[in-house]
Amino acid sequence: MKSFSVLVLFLSLSVSAQIKTLPLWPEGKMPNYQKSDEKEEIDVNTISWISKVQQPTLEVYLPPQASANGQAVLVCPGGGYAGLAYDWEGTEIAKYLNSKGIAAGVLKYRLPGSASVKENFKAPLQDAQRGIRMLRANASDWNIDKEKVGVMGFSAGGHLASTLGTHFQNAFYSAIDDIDSEEIRPDFMILIYPVISTDPKITHQGSRDNLLGKNPTAALEKQFSNDLQVTENTPTTFILHTGDDQTVPVENSLRMYKALQENKVQTEMHIYPKGGHGFSLANGVYYLESWSERLTDWLRNLN
């Protein structure tokens, strides 16, 4: 019995050692920050919902070394740029990726409406750029290949992921340490029912307003319509959407696919006839739940 207890303790420690939460920014070095009385809020009901993020973090999930294939994914939960569906579109996704030998970092990113942010639209992208750099900076310790690091996002998190993949020419903050010498361009993008465009005809209005304000300039609106920012250097992409999505119209993904094809960027897209919005892994939702298998096949083919 004693040896069994020791074994259980050892296994528990081994599992817990595979998860670590790291601050994105050194103390006192967070860019685009202003002091406020705002407090971070976590609401745990049917899902874990985080709003008013004050301390952005990277929660790292690592598969056992024996099964690690070198790939890593920065996971950006959705929430309309008003909050983060942190477990539903974050930690649960990381666990799934781990089961396929893929390292994952769940990004708890600042939200543009926070009172602690100076320039609203810059904060999420600054955190995403820092997050992907942290994955690469720790590549040797975490069994990651620096050339196999991608980004994945859901809904508004899909907008953030596609922004990271189309706005990598320049960092949106000044370098503060050695981590910032790492590349910010993702090697691949995974966009799940993503907000892509800020065009009022097809956008998710809440995400657009929260990120850019209700009356953005035409230049800013164009800058963050990410289908308009695609070039031949945009990373290879996997896109998933449903035809009956009433929250983020499928036209967002169709426009992104068209732009990627026109620029000869290798792209795979799956449009399911129904399933709505915000289904995450879609466990138990007829054959929609097989979408993760399509993603796994695609990721394996990248290798």
Side-chain angles (χ1 to χ4, degrees), residues 202-240:
I202 69 162
T203 193
H204 176 250
Q205 198 65 38
S207 296
R208 175 183 180 272
D209 291 352
N210 288 330
L211 182 65
L212 305 181
K214 293 188 176 180
N215 297 294
T217 64
L220 195 61
E221 191 174 78
K222 180 179 179 181
Q223 182 182 5
F224 287 94
S225 285
N226 292 329
D227 57 309
L228 303 179
Q229 307 306 321
V230 172
T231 71
E232 62 184 6
N233 295 319
T234 300
T236 182
T237 303
F238 178 97
I239 303 173
L240 174 76

Side-chain angles (χ1 to χ4, degrees), residues 162 167 189 218 258 278 298 301:
S162 64
H167 292 70
M189 294 192 295
K258 183 173 185 289
W298 182 79
N301 189 55

Side-chain angles (χ1 to χ4, degrees), residues 68-137:
N69 65 15
Q71 290 180 326
V73 177
L74 181 70
V75 182
C76 305
Y81 283 124
L84 304 177
Y86 192 73
D87 55 354
W88 186 242
E89 296 172 345
T91 57
E92 290 301 301
I93 305 304
K95 294 171 187 176
Y96 174 79
L97 292 170
N98 272 192
S99 73
K100 305 302 178 181
I102 303 166
V106 181
L107 187 69
K108 187 178 76 170
Y109 56 91
R110 288 173 293 165
L111 299 158
S114 171
S116 302
V117 168
K118 292 180 181 178
E119 292 183 275
N120 295 7
F121 68 91
K122 288 185 177 181
L125 182 55
Q126 289 169 330
D127 291 350
Q129 289 183 335
R130 179 73 174 181
I132 198 165
R133 282 173 158 170
M134 286 182 68
L135 288 174
R136 287 193 166 113

Side-chain angles (χ1 to χ4, degrees), residues 22-276:
L22 306 173
L24 277 183
W25 307 100
E27 188 173 354
K29 298 289 187 180
M30 190 187 308
N32 195 22
Y33 170 79
Q34 60 187 7
K35 189 175 181 179
S36 79
D37 294 329
E38 190 174 65
K39 304 296 183 184
E40 188 167 306
E41 296 180 359
I42 303 177
D43 179 23
V44 181
N45 193 357
T46 54
I47 65 171
S48 179
W49 177 262
I50 303 177
S51 58
K52 301 178 181 178
V53 173
Q54 301 300 301
Q55 296 295 331
T57 59
L58 187 70
E59 187 170 345
V60 182
Y61 286 70
L62 301 177
Q65 184 174 354
S67 63
N69 65 15
Q71 290 180 326
V73 177
L74 181 70
V75 182
C76 305
Y81 283 124
L84 304 177
Y86 192 73
D87 55 354
W88 186 242
E89 296 172 345
T91 57
E92 290 301 301
I93 305 304
K95 294 171 187 176
Y96 174 79
L97 292 170
N98 272 192
S99 73
K100 305 302 178 181
I102 303 166
V106 181
L107 187 69
K108 187 178 76 170
Y109 56 91
R110 288 173 293 165
L111 299 158
S114 171
S116 302
V117 168
K118 292 180 181 178
E119 292 183 275
N120 295 7
F121 68 91
K122 288 185 177 181
L125 182 55
Q126 289 169 330
D127 291 350
Q129 289 183 335
R130 179 73 174 181
I132 198 165
R133 282 173 158 170
M134 286 182 68
L135 288 174
R136 287 193 166 113
N138 290 280
S140 59
D141 292 334
W142 296 347
N143 302 306
I144 293 171
D145 183 333
K146 285 189 180 185
E147 295 183 356
K148 296 180 180 180
V149 181
V151 65
M152 180 179 193
F154 296 75
S155 195
H159 184 268
L160 179 56
S162 64
T163 304
L164 183 65
T166 55
H167 292 70
F168 54 80
Q169 296 82 1
N170 298 293
F172 271 56
Y173 65 94
S174 299
I176 58 175
D177 56 22
D178 289 345
I179 290 173
D180 293 327
S181 65
E182 299 289 345
E183 176 62 55
I184 56 176
R185 178 188 180 274
D187 294 304
F188 55 87
M189 294 192 295
I190 304 167
L191 309 178
I192 311 299
Y193 42 85
V195 180
I196 294 293
S197 177
T198 62
D199 180 348
K201 294 178 183 177
I202 69 162
T203 193
H204 176 250
Q205 198 65 38
S207 296
R208 175 183 180 272
D209 291 352
N210 288 330
L211 182 65
L212 305 181
K214 293 188 176 180
N215 297 294
T217 64
L220 195 61
E221 191 174 78
K222 180 179 179 181
Q223 182 182 5
F224 287 94
S225 285
N226 292 329
D227 57 309
L228 303 179
Q229 307 306 321
V230 172
T231 71
E232 62 184 6
N233 295 319
T234 300
T236 182
T237 303
F238 178 97
I239 303 173
L240 174 76
H241 221 118
T242 61
D244 67 346
D245 190 333
Q246 299 299 306
T247 303
V248 178
V250 70
E251 180 68 23
N252 282 268
S253 286
L254 296 176
R255 287 194 187 184
M256 190 63 171
Y257 182 80
K258 183 173 185 289
L260 290 161
Q261 288 292 99
E262 288 175 347
N263 284 275
K264 296 180 171 43
V265 176
Q266 185 178 4
T267 308
E268 181 170 322
M269 180 169 68
H270 295 268
I271 306 295
Y272 286 75
K274 59 182 180 177

